[in-house]
């Protein structure tokens, strides 16, 4: 069975040496002293390794079942959920007014990676609850917040998001679920939703569904969508639970992965619901949840790649196969370990350099979000808005690929269920699809985010890179980082110019290159993260430190990314600038 070890040391490096969170001028960050964050990460790591990870294979093999309308989660999930809830992990960054601990989102993101890396399917139950909490907290009335949030923060109740319907996925303007006003402030919600993660379970007393629906007589399309709280059980005025609401599980989907999470078909039959925010403004409220979820999904891509990488390293060191062409390394054995071979090293370095760069990117992005929310920094919010589709799309595309490479290290054993490596690949696969398929993320980046506010945020992003390169231009130790970063940034800027010049004349020219553009952005972002980490590692080596090998290895891993991974921007640029003609050459009936 695969194992999992919390990468707490690497997280501490990113938080305190690269990002210097304890010195950041952001409300609440002064509490993030190294001793404090280390204690939090250590405790989270214990739960991840000792409680959640042993249930990962259990959940994968057993899955969830539907018995007489009741969803049953795998054995052990309930006990683990109760322990997770008792630790207050869901409320780490939630509002103290509703029982949360008020810590920055950045710290919750770090612990979230540990939980997801150890058991992604399990972690989706509290993760979706947190997302629903955020949407209600940001947009609901004080009355609704007081009624629902405290029990969601402490995980007595869970939460979901209900968007997709059988006939419409991304195009939510086509939805048919309706909400009839009752004249007393409540609505009767009727319709069917599909692909609802954590749609029901036997872990909590109540499930608080956030449901998108249309109020009759409202505007057509997406402008007529509203958001409603629809609880599984009616909540009485005194906070106790009343009768079962008109919501039921029609089916549990059979899926490729995340078997331990119940993905449900949800039926609403005149279920009592309560409007969140304004009528016909549901997408604005739901996007609060979706944007947080997209950052979380990007982190899922990273977490599965990390877990798969850890096990691939163990196997590569243990498995004896062939001899090192430069000389025998294991003379007392029949063969040398796999890790001596350059192609195995290549795959492991691909994984290691991606995982560590992606971790820095996710935590940097979470800090930008904190800076935007807690310090009211509009520029930070603009940059994280620009890069949210990159975090989601790039990290899940490449994270999935890295789980495949981890399987490949095992050879045939990677394909055999006994070794457990396929689960990481199967679980990671969904992250490329839900919360907006990655093709949609690419369209959002190219069609909306890059031009947002007159393009000021993309220009601020390039200025950030330019300033970093300028600050380090005379530092010889940084040349292996700043030079490739400068080159890749120029590639990305050239593509931006191409989109501006050609996109107006032929929109397909931009859209056909959107996924390549998203990946270019992703590589440049990881190039920036690696440059920042290299600077911090060099500073540590020049000063007092207790672990020189850690910093030397960090720099060596970063050099690999800059030399072997970052040049992919050239290929993406060539594809984009070839235009749309080859993509659109065939008539539809030629396929």
């Amino acid at each position: 069975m695969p194992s999992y070890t919390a990468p707490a040391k690497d997280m501490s490096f990113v938080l305190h040496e690269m990002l210097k969170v304890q010195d950041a001028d952001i409300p609440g960050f002064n509490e993030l002293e190294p001793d404090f964050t280390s204690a939090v990460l250590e405790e989270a790591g214990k739960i991840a390794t000792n409680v959640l990870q042993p249930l990962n294979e259990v959940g994968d093999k057993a899955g969830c079942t539907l018995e007489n309308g009741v969803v049953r989660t795998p054995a052990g999930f309930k006990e683990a959920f109760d322990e997770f809830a008792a630790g207050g992990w869901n409320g780490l960054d939630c509002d103290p007014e509703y029982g949360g601990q008020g810590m920055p989102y950045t710290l919750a993101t770090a612990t979230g990676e540990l939980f997801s890396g150890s058991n992604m399917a399990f972690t989706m139950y509290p993760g979706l609850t947190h997302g629903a909490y955020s949407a209600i907290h940001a947009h609901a009335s004080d009355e609704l917040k007081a009624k629902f949030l405290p029990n969601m923060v402490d995980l007595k109740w869970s939460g979901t998001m209900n968007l997709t319907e059988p006939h419409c996925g991304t195009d939510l303007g086509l939805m048919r679920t309706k909400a009839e006003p009752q004249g007393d402030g409540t609505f009767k919600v009727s319709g069917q939703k599909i692909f609802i993660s954590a749609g029901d379970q036997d872990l909590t007393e109540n499930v608080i569904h956030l449901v998108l629906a249309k109020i009759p007589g409202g505007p057509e399309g997406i402008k007529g969508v509203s958001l409603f709280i629809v609880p599984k059980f009616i909540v009485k005025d005194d906070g106790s639970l009343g009768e079962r609401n008109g919501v039921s599980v029609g089916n549990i989907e059979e899926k490729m992965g995340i078997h331990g999470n119940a993905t449900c078909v949800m039926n609403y039959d005149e279920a009592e619901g309560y409007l969140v925010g304004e009528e016909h403004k549901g997408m604005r409220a739901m996007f609060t949840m979706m944007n947080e979820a997209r950052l979380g999904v990007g982190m899922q891509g990273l977490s599965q790649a990390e877990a798969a990488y850890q096990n691939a390293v163990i196997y590569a060191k243990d498995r004896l196969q062939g001899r090192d062409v430069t000389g025998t390394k294991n003379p007392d054995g029949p063969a040398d370990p796999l890790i001596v071979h350059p192609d195995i090293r290549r795959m492991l370095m691909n994984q290691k350099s991606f995982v560590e760069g992606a971790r820095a990117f996710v935590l940097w992005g979470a800090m930008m979000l904190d800076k935007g929310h807690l310090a009211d920094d509009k520029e930070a919010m603009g940059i994280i808005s620009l890069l949210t589709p990159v975090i989601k799309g790039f990290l899940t595309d490449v994270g999935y690929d890295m789980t495949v490479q981890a399987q490949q290290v095992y050879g045939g054993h990677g394909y055999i269920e006994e070794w457990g490596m396929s689960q990481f690949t199967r679980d990671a696969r969904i992250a490329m699809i839900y919360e907006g398929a990655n093709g949609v993320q690419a369209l959002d980046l190219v069609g909306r985010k890059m031009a947002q506010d007159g393009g000021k945020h993309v220009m601020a992003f390039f200025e950030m890179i330019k300033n970093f390169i300028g600050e380090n231009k005379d530092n010889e130790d940084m040349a292996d980082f700043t030079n490739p970063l400068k080159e890749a940034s120029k590639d990305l800027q050239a593509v931006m110019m191409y989109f501006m010049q050609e996109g107006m004349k032929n929109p397909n020219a931009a859209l056909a290159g959107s996924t390549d553009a998203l990946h270019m952005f992703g590589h440049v972002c990881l190039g920036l993260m690696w440059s920042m980490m290299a600077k911090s590692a060099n500073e540590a080596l020049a000063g007092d430190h207790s672990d020189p090998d850690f910093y030397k290895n960090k720099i060596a891993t970063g050099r690999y990314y800059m030399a072997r991974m970052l040049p992919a921007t050239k290929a993406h640029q060539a594809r984009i600038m070839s235009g749309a003609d080859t993509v659109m050459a065939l008539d539809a009936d030629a396929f």
Side-chain angles (χ1 to χ4, degrees), residues 559-572:
R559 284 198 179 111
Y560 179 90
Y561 193 90
M562 305 307 279
R564 299 283 300 227
M565 306 288 273
L566 190 57
T569 56
K570 297 290 185 189
H572 290 301

Side-chain angles (χ1 to χ4, degrees), residues 82-391:
D82 289 345
E83 184 171 345
F84 186 94
W89 294 106
N90 191 55
L92 193 64
D93 63 324
C94 293
D95 190 341
E97 182 177 349
Y98 302 104
Q101 299 174 52
M103 290 287 107
Y105 176 68
T106 303
L107 184 59
T109 300
T111 61
E113 186 203 323
L114 303 182
F115 301 140
S116 184
S118 61
N119 194 326
M120 177 174 159
F122 175 95
T123 304
M124 289 170 63
Y125 291 108
L128 284 155
T129 304
H130 191 285
Y133 156 89
S134 296
I136 294 170
H137 186 268
H139 298 284
S141 66
D142 290 342
E143 179 185 3
L144 289 176
K145 286 192 279 190
K147 190 171 189 176
F148 291 101
L149 291 186
N151 285 325
M152 295 176 71
V153 169
D154 68 13
L155 290 179
K156 192 174 182 180
W157 301 345
S158 65
T160 72
M161 56 193 298
N162 287 235
L163 288 77
T164 307
E165 300 184 7
H167 58 282
C168 73
T170 301
D171 191 354
L172 293 173
L174 298 176
M175 73 173 53
R176 296 172 185 157
T177 300
K178 63 180 181 179
E180 298 273 3
Q182 299 301 296
D184 60 356
T186 66
F187 291 78
K188 292 296 185 186
V189 178
S190 299
Q192 185 179 79
K193 299 288 185 176
I194 63 171
F195 305 158
I196 308 307
S197 299
D200 197 37
Q201 29 68 21
D202 53 3
L203 307 173
T204 62
E205 296 177 0
N206 203 2
V207 184
I208 311 305
H209 300 286
L210 285 184
V211 183
L212 287 177
K214 290 184 174 181
I215 299 172
E220 292 294 318
I222 200 70
K223 293 182 179 179
V225 173
S226 301
L227 181 65
F228 299 89
I229 291 173
V230 184
K232 176 180 176 180
F233 291 97
I234 299 296
V235 180
K236 298 179 182 178
D237 291 339
D238 64 1
S240 64
L241 297 184
E243 62 185 16
R244 178 70 182 256
N245 205 357
V247 52
S248 62
V249 178
N251 190 29
I252 296 179
E253 303 286 5
E254 294 187 18
K255 313 182 295 295
M256 176 179 175
I258 55 168
H259 297 149
N261 195 273
T263 304
C264 301
V265 174
M266 301 301 301
N267 296 321
Y268 294 88
D269 184 13
E270 294 191 343
E272 184 168 302
Y274 319 102
L275 181 68
V276 175
E278 302 175 44
E279 291 187 3
H280 318 310
K281 303 292 185 184
M283 289 309 300
R284 182 172 63 184
M286 186 60 90
F287 267 114
T288 297
M289 185 175 186
M290 289 178 69
N291 284 335
E292 176 184 313
R294 285 171 177 172
L295 292 174
V297 170
M299 180 266 289
Q300 287 180 339
L302 151 66
S303 72
Q304 297 310 290
E306 166 70 35
Y309 163 71
Q310 288 186 16
N311 288 279
V313 169
I314 294 170
Y315 187 84
K317 289 180 177 180
D318 288 346
R319 175 74 166 176
L320 302 181
Q321 200 89 146
R323 289 294 188 188
D324 187 340
V325 295
T326 65
T328 298
K329 296 297 187 291
N330 180 33
D332 297 329
D336 289 331
L338 277 173
I339 201 164
V340 305
H341 303 302
D343 197 56
I344 296 293
R345 290 288 186 95
R346 174 190 63 82
M347 290 189 286
L348 293 177
M349 286 298 287
N350 284 349
Q351 295 164 60
K352 181 176 173 63
S353 65
F354 166 74
V355 162
E356 293 180 17
R359 176 173 298 117
F361 189 21
V362 166
L363 292 174
W364 177 86
M367 186 172 171
M368 282 285 156
L369 201 58
D370 275 330
K371 196 173 184 181
H373 284 311
L374 301 176
D376 197 27
D377 188 319
K378 302 277 192 298
E379 182 174 324
M381 191 58 78
I383 288 176
I384 192 56
S385 176
L386 167 73
L387 296 179
T388 292
V390 180
I391 291 174

Side-chain angles (χ1 to χ4, degrees), residues 469 473 478-488 531 562 566:
I469 293 172
K473 65 180 180 355
M478 288 296 293
D480 288 344
F481 293 87
T482 53
N483 291 339
L485 178 61
K486 184 177 182 179
E487 190 69 21
S531 299
M562 305 307 279
L566 190 57

Side-chain angles (χ1 to χ4, degrees), residues 20 28 37 58 60 65 67 74 77 102 133 141 153 188 209 225 303 321 351 438 475 488 507 513 517 548 583:
K20 296 179 171 61
T37 60
V58 173
D60 185 53
T65 57
E67 300 174 1
F77 269 45
Y133 156 89
S141 66
V153 169
K188 292 296 185 186
H209 300 286
V225 173
S303 72
Q321 200 89 146
Q351 295 164 60
N438 286 355
N475 186 341
V583 175

Side-chain angles (χ1 to χ4, degrees), residues 432-450:
M432 302 162 70
I433 300 171
Y434 62 14
E435 304 307 337
N438 286 355
V440 175
Q441 302 301 320
L443 296 177
D444 180 42
L445 174 68
V446 171
R448 200 163 66 92
K449 294 297 179 62
M450 291 194 312

